[in-house]
Amino acid sequence: MEIDVKFFASLRERMGRTSDKVTLDGDVATVSDVWNQLSSEPIPNNILVAVNKEYTDLSQELKSGDEVAFFPPVTGG
Amino acid sequence: MEIDVKFFASLRERMGRTSDKVTLDGDVATVSDVWNQLSSEPIPNNILVAVNKEYTDLSQELKSGDEVAFFPPVTGG
Amino acid sequence: MRVVVQEEALDPYKEIKHHEETVLESGKHGGVVSFVGTMRDFNDGEDVSAMNLDHYPGMTEKHIEQVCQEAMDGWDVMDVLVVHRVGDMYPSDPIVLVAVWSAHRASAFDACRYVINYLKERAPFWKCEVTKAGKKHWVEHNSKDPGVAESREKAV
Amino acid sequence: MRVVVQEEALDPYKEIKHHEETVLESGKHGGVVSFVGTMRDFNDGEDVSAMNLDHYPGMTEKHIEQVCQEAMDGWDVMDVLVVHRVGDMYPSDPIVLVAVWSAHRASAFDACRYVINYLKERAPFWKCEVTKAGKKHWVEHNSKDPGVAESREKAV
């Protein structure tokens, strides 16, 4: 399946890109699988995850075409 | 002693005047004495009293030149 | 701290801007909380077409200033502005502005609420409404709005 | 309910006026409570000369709208307006406006506070500050402001 990936703020700088596309084999994949495809390092502790613009966690299962975002804690307003 | 009196809102209309001056005999007088000089009727229950622009009550003693105000409950803001 | 009671029409947001430009040091406050009370065209189920707001010159300002000082003493706020209109007004006219500047929004919210609650409770103003049918009457009691006791508890 | 995220400079009080003139029915609301957050020229003891506010287009608006809807459901309010700036900004620039109209001021205060607290907690924005010395850094955590838990309890 194909997943659109987005990075924001300090994580975007650390990853060196604002977005990416990953292709995962098989029918079942989670957000964790996406991260592992992107980086050989474990995901930093404080990183938040959204799928299709809703907060979720690493265990969420994905379907092809989902948009997965990784970003640090929000500091707005 | 001479006392300046002010009325506001519905009480001003009821008294038919915005201000008055009363002269009281003797050295000791209270707000009650002022009211009794102004009207033969007892002071209405809900009427508030201020002396020199501070809230007080009918028992407050006065000195010559004090400004005494009578008015209904406030409804501002 | 600035307290104004005026007959002229009140433009609340012009007052806030003017206060920020003339009195406050730029870049220091993190936020401002404001309350603007406007005249409604109904009250207790009746249509209202005009209102005259009576006040006690001198005492009104004095009591608003006392309430503002209590807010400045009770919370970590940088400045308080109150502008209150008196005299003849019409539905949708702004009647009162309370604005509170602070580095911390929680203090600004608490202090702003304190000022408007106590201003309504203690400052000598009296509303005389004119109904659509042309009848004039003095408002007998303030419409109850919860929050006064609560706000008082928070003042230190 | 109106939620806007924009790069253009924010004139909060012009937004309030515009909303009142174009959306709200005249003479019906008794008051409006607003919060305007402005950029300070210091943070955690350091001088700050500029800031870039990053956001997640689409998700940011969606989460602000959710918070506004919760406020509309939780209190007796007539309307909520939020305008949030993103991109490059400088000290004393307004960053965010939250305005809540209601017939009752207690509801307007509660709802306004709820919106700004949860907007800050949930809406994806990230501050990147530039210090006077020219050093750029991402702000790691929101400055703690009490009131979030308190405000949540009041939502029904």
Side-chain angles (χ1 to χ4, degrees), chain A residues 6 8-10 12-13 46 50 52-55 67-69 71-77, chain D residues 54-59 62-63 66 84 120-127 136 138-139 142:
Chain A
K6 288 171 180 280
F8 291 95
S10 55
R12 180 182 59 223
E13 295 184 351
N46 64 344
N52 300 331
K53 303 188 170 75
E54 283 296 334
Y55 288 105
E67 177 177 294
V68 176
F71 46 79
V74 306
T75 55
Chain D
D54 194 11
H55 79 300
Y56 184 172
M59 181 168 174
K62 185 178 180 177
H63 279 75
Q66 282 175 6
H84 207 299
K120 282 188 183 250
E121 194 171 85
R122 301 205 305 237
F125 290 108
W126 301 273
K127 287 176 177 163
K136 198 190 109 175
W138 291 94
V139 174
N142 255 329

Side-chain angles (χ1 to χ4, degrees), chain D residues 17-75:
Chain D
K17 270 195 174 167
H18 181 256
H19 195 76
E20 290 189 348
E21 285 164 11
T22 56
V23 177
L24 288 163
E25 203 185 343
S26 170
K28 297 306 173 197
H29 68 272
V32 49
V33 171
S34 70
F35 172 79
V36 175
T38 49
M39 188 183 152
R40 290 188 290 181
D41 61 8
F42 62 96
N43 190 21
D44 284 337
E46 271 197 290
D47 286 341
V48 177
S49 61
M51 182 170 86
N52 180 277
L53 195 60
D54 194 11
H55 79 300
Y56 184 172
M59 181 168 174
T60 303
E61 292 85 346
K62 185 178 180 177
H63 279 75
I64 299 175
E65 279 162 14
Q66 282 175 6
V67 172
C68 290
Q69 191 57 54
E70 288 163 15
M72 301 270 297
D73 295 342
W75 288 276

Side-chain angles (χ1 to χ4, degrees), chain A residues 4 14 17 20 29 35 40 44-46 56 63 70 73-74:
Chain A
D4 290 313
R14 190 165 157 176
R17 53 202 189 277
D20 208 337
W35 179 266
S40 57
N45 244 319
N46 64 344
T56 184
K63 56 184 194 311
F70 298 98
V74 306

